Amino acid sequence: MTARAADRARYDRATAHLDAPFAIVDLEAFDANADNLVRRADGKPIRVASKSVRCRALLERVLARDGFAGIMSFTLAESLWLARSGFDDVLLAYPSADRARYAELAADPELAAAVTVMVDDPAQLDLIDASRAGGGEVVRVCLELDTSLKLFGGRVRIGARRSPLHSPAQVAEFARAVVRRPGFEVVGIMAYEGHVAGVGDAVAGRPLRSRAVRLMQTAARRELAERRAAVVRAVREVVPALEYVNGGGTGSVQHTAAEDAVTEIAAGSGLYVPRLFDNYTSFTGRPAALFALPVVRRPGVGVVTVLGGGYPASGAPGADRLPVPYLPEGLRYDPQEGPGEVQTPLLGSPADDLLIGDKVWFRHAKAGELCERFDALHLVEGDAVTATVPTYRGEGRTFL
């Protein structure tokens, strides 16, 4: 029996009392992935990206482990909710235009102490000030650096279009502008190199593309390490007491941690290890989060139909954004249909061994987005479900 077949048997035993669809997290795999991230971070703390987890119980679990400290959130409403839930170090990774929540933040000293917001434009500071509604608390801010690699005089850009702040001079000047404004405190710098951390460099069946990605990432890491160090030096001249410099992501942990200028690493997807993180030479994780769909039809030889399945992930549309049939091994989508909103036909010889009511196990393309489809996660230890915990959705929290 292969390791994957053994996992399937174990998951089927653990969830025999449950009717699919549902989602699980294998805690042994989750904890092993957490240990892997800590080893790769080599002593630097990991700030957990909440959008890749979207379950308070599992955020608490990982933050209780050595090597993890703080949360990187994705909306201001989520940030305040987490702070009120007892998480005392929440960095909002994206600028917000939520005026009502800014008013709450500026009026509450405990929230203001726990939550840091992301800025990269004076207009964002204007919006925060206009939202204060009399609240006088100092708002902690983090400055975001654009990490994109610019080639041929800027005519070619590789990387996400995020912050407009690219050069050390630009970031330092913005830091001075923030320092001059009452009611704000610069506490950190964030730089997410998504073109390194979030792009696999070993795509199966595409050796030339994989080599090109590796060459690009080598150049990007070298350029960013030099520029990030210069940015930190320039900002520390303005803000000597800078608390942290955050960088990286699951796919670049060890490379980013090697930079002296970086004080902490961001990671989250590496806990669940969705299918997009299979294609890396730098690390190997264990799939920890899966969802099960029930077989509801047997249309013919070599075909079964499962209920649901059309759960695409965000990003540029493509086959890599789709969930993948994982267990039993050997199932594939019908190219004429793909995964459907309410039913999904699956092809392959394993279909002939599946009966009505049997489970087919899938992996989502991206990590936390799975939790937008399910209101609970069944936590599996060995061959038993030992707890069932709500996702954000299960707690009535749909932040985006």
Side-chain angles (χ1 to χ4, degrees):
M1 181 182 290
T2 67
R4 279 173 61 174
D7 280 341
R8 180 196 174 199
R10 183 164 59 88
Y11 297 149
D12 282 347
R13 287 194 301 271
T15 63
H17 62 295
L18 298 174
D19 290 328
F22 58 79
I24 68 166
V25 169
D26 182 335
L27 289 180
E28 181 181 328
F30 182 90
D31 291 343
N33 292 334
D35 289 341
N36 180 274
L37 289 170
V38 170
R39 283 194 297 272
R40 292 168 60 208
D42 195 25
K44 292 189 176 177
I46 298 170
R47 185 179 291 273
V48 183
S50 63
K51 77 178 182 66
S52 300
V53 179
R54 302 194 204 200
C55 172
R56 282 198 298 169
L58 290 176
L59 288 172
E60 291 168 354
R61 183 184 183 91
V62 72
L63 285 169
R65 302 176 70 88
D66 291 340
F68 292 86
I71 287 177
M72 178 173 282
S73 57
F74 61 97
T75 75
L76 185 54
E78 179 212 15
S79 303
L80 302 190
W81 177 62
L82 290 174
R84 289 184 172 119
S85 300
F87 297 96
D88 60 3
D89 180 7
V90 182
L91 169 60
L92 174 57
Y94 308 88
S96 176
D98 190 336
R99 293 175 174 83
R101 272 32 178 261
Y102 275 132
E104 294 178 37
L105 179 68
D108 188 320
E110 292 185 0
L111 292 179
V115 175
T116 300
V117 302
M118 194 65 58
V119 293
D120 55 36
D121 189 312
Q124 296 158 350
L125 305 178
D126 294 340
L127 186 146
I128 296 171
D129 274 336
S131 305
R132 287 178 181 271
E137 295 299 323
V138 172
V139 175
R140 292 165 54 88
V141 300
C142 180
L143 314 181
E144 181 164 1
L145 168 67
D146 170 37
T147 65
S148 63
L149 176 64
K150 295 185 177 181
L151 304 172
F152 306 109
R155 292 190 297 275
V156 174
R157 173 195 179 102
I158 301 172
R161 297 183 181 275
R162 292 176 62 117
S163 171
L165 306 176
H166 188 81
S167 70
Q170 288 175 314
V171 184
E173 179 55 36
F174 184 57
R176 281 189 284 271
V178 178
V179 168
R180 287 194 293 265
R181 294 182 69 139
F184 295 94
E185 179 186 11
V186 176
V187 300
I189 298 171
M190 187 195 82
Y192 172 57
E193 51 268 47
H195 50 303
V196 177
V199 178
D201 64 346
V203 181
R206 305 191 67 179
L208 294 180
R209 183 183 187 280
S210 297
R211 176 169 172 75
V213 168
R214 288 194 290 273
L215 291 172
M216 176 277 290
Q217 290 179 341
T218 297
R221 287 197 301 266
R222 184 182 303 115
E223 185 276 337
L224 179 59
E226 295 176 359
R227 181 159 53 89
R228 181 154 41 197
V231 165
V232 172
R233 288 193 298 271
V235 172
R236 287 195 184 278
E237 291 181 2
V238 181
V239 187
L242 201 65
E243 294 178 16
Y244 55 80
V245 177
N246 180 283
T250 288
S252 70
V253 171
Q254 66 270 39
H255 301 297
T256 307
E259 296 182 33
D260 291 338
V262 174
T263 66
E264 64 174 40
I265 310 299
S269 296
L271 296 169
Y272 288 169
V273 186
R275 63 166 296 197
L276 281 177
F277 286 86
D278 288 346
N279 303 320
Y280 286 79
T281 57
S282 59
F283 78 101
T284 300
R286 292 175 56 184
L290 301 96
F291 64 94
L293 300 179
V295 174
V296 293
R297 283 179 169 157
R298 291 170 53 87
V301 176
V303 186
V304 292
T305 301
V306 295
L307 182 69
Y311 308 155
S314 61
D320 65 342
R321 300 291 140 168
L322 300 179
V324 61
Y326 183 59
L327 301 170
E329 298 179 65
L331 293 173
R332 64 187 187 278
Y333 292 124
D334 182 338
Q336 301 295 319
E337 297 192 50
E341 178 186 8
V342 292
Q343 69 170 30
T344 297
L346 298 170
L347 311 181
S349 58
D352 294 329
D353 296 323
L354 292 169
L355 304 177
I356 300 297
D358 282 352
K359 301 177 181 75
V360 175
W361 297 88
F362 291 76
R363 294 172 64 199
H364 203 270
K366 297 183 76 173
E369 293 182 24
L370 166 67
C371 295
E372 298 300 331
R373 299 289 181 171
F374 297 93
D375 61 8
L377 297 172
H378 301 283
L379 307 184
V380 173
E381 296 185 76
D383 59 359
V385 171
T386 57
T388 298
V389 296
T391 61
Y392 280 12
R393 171 177 168 169
E395 296 198 70
R397 306 286 176 167
T398 51
F399 294 109
L400 279 178

